[in-house]
Amino acid sequence: MTPPEKDPPAQKRETIHQGHPPDPGKIRSKALLAAYMAKGREKLGTFLDAHGASLPVLGVAMEQFTQSVFALPEETACKQGCAYCCHLRVGVSIPEVLVVYRELAAQTTQEGFAFLKERVLGVAAKGNTLKDAFWHTTRSPCPFLDVDKNQLCLIYSLRPFACRAYHSTDLDACQKGYDLGQEIMIPCFPLYRATTDMYSSIFTRVLAEKGFPSYQVGFVKALEILFKDKRASGRWLDNREDVFVSAKLV
Ligand code: SF4
């Protein structure tokens, strides 16, 4: 009797691996995403060339991109008042955080602004908000989550693209990740997530191409910088100073 073959030799494993047919669905999704991304980059680049990269112009660009985000698929498990994902690190582009800060200053009362500032600085003071581990271990809510009332986002219409992209088809998985204080795989609609997240990447890349010190930053850390230095926004936009380097995500 011939004993059953155990591990195939390396060369054979390679042959078996190469034998898998490529997933046509994945290939189409990748191609679609690349096409959307290229179109978005071109659109933003042309817009900034025509109008300059001022704060109001970035605000208009963010608004237009926001309107282009697809509707969240109905099959998601997300519902009002569920906020597990608002206890995770949020990565954003610098233009997003500049626009959010500007709108907070413009749309809130002096007291409201002071309240939000206190919330942001309060979370920032607890530890290194750039690390996933900070959010997992402290279980701190995002400073914009209305934990006292209804667990709703206080800046819902302004929220960054990462927040719009995050969703789940399995609420139990979200709760498990929160309870364990660990990053776990959350089932979702990958194409929805990627096409929503991409607007943040488009901002980061196009602004870098235009010569700005542009990279992904931690939302809370970048807001902390803005709240502590009123000139930070102008220094980045007008002088291209690298004022957000301590908020850079690696
Ligand atoms: S900005 Fe709003 S949606 Fe995003 S994490 Fe904070 S509370 Fe949640």
Side-chain angles (χ1 to χ4, degrees):
M1 220 170 112
T2 317
E5 195 176 358
K6 289 183 187 161
D7 283 328
Q11 204 178 349
K12 198 167 173 186
R13 278 204 294 269
E14 180 77 355
T15 313
I16 292 167
H17 179 68
Q18 283 174 354
H20 280 298
D23 181 342
K26 271 192 185 163
I27 292 172
R28 273 202 301 276
S29 297
K30 267 192 171 180
L32 192 63
L33 187 61
Y36 278 139
M37 185 94 182
K39 200 173 164 196
R41 283 173 71 174
E42 190 192 337
K43 206 172 158 188
L44 181 61
T46 309
F47 190 61
L48 297 184
D49 285 344
H51 303 286
S54 67
L55 207 39
V57 169
L58 291 175
V60 171
M62 186 162 160
E63 172 64 25
Q64 289 189 359
F65 278 159
T66 300
Q67 286 173 11
S68 303
V69 170
F70 292 114
L72 190 62
E74 282 181 10
E75 297 82 359
T76 60
C78 303
K79 56 183 185 199
Q80 241 188 29
C82 172
Y84 292 119
C85 61
C86 296
H87 292 73
L88 299 172
R89 187 186 73 179
V90 176
V92 298
S93 63
I94 294 173
E96 284 173 88
V97 80
L98 294 183
V99 171
V100 168
Y101 181 78
R102 171 183 179 253
E103 293 304 313
L104 292 181
Q107 292 181 21
T108 53
T109 59
Q110 220 176 349
E111 294 75 32
F113 189 75
F115 169 77
L116 292 174
K117 176 179 178 179
E118 195 183 312
R119 283 251 186 129
V120 169
L121 298 187
V123 174
K126 285 190 198 173
N128 186 352
T129 59
L130 299 182
K131 298 277 181 204
D132 283 318
F134 166 85
W135 298 94
H136 291 317
T137 53
T138 64
R139 293 200 176 87
S140 292
C142 168
F144 298 113
L145 185 67
D146 193 355
V147 279
D148 302 327
K149 281 193 189 157
N150 42 21
Q151 303 269 8
L152 295 183
C153 173
L154 292 169
I155 58 162
Y156 192 72
S157 61
L158 267 180
R159 68 198 188 287
F161 291 108
C163 302
R164 295 174 194 276
Y166 213 91
H167 69 282
S168 165
T169 56
D170 182 357
L171 210 55
D172 290 342
C174 301
Q175 181 167 5
K176 190 176 168 194
Y178 176 82
D179 289 344
L180 291 173
Q182 275 177 19
E183 193 158 347
I184 64 166
M185 189 64 82
I186 303 292
C188 68
F189 293 102
L191 193 55
Y192 170 81
R193 185 158 180 192
T195 52
T196 305
D197 246 347
M198 94 181 163
Y199 292 110
S200 191
S201 307
I202 289 172
F203 268 126
T204 296
R205 287 200 200 176
V206 172
L207 271 292
E209 284 159 15
K210 303 274 173 223
F212 290 85
S214 180
Y215 36 76
Q216 198 188 34
V217 290
F219 188 41
V220 171
K221 182 68 187 173
L223 281 170
E224 181 193 2
I225 291 168
L226 287 164
F227 274 120
K228 285 183 172 173
D229 177 4
K230 283 184 186 165
R231 293 174 48 250
S233 183
R235 286 170 59 200
W236 190 82
L237 274 168
D238 303 333
N239 307 338
R240 305 193 182 191
E241 280 182 55
D242 198 3
V243 291
F244 293 102
V245 69
S246 61
K248 190 174 187 173
L249 291 179
V250 285

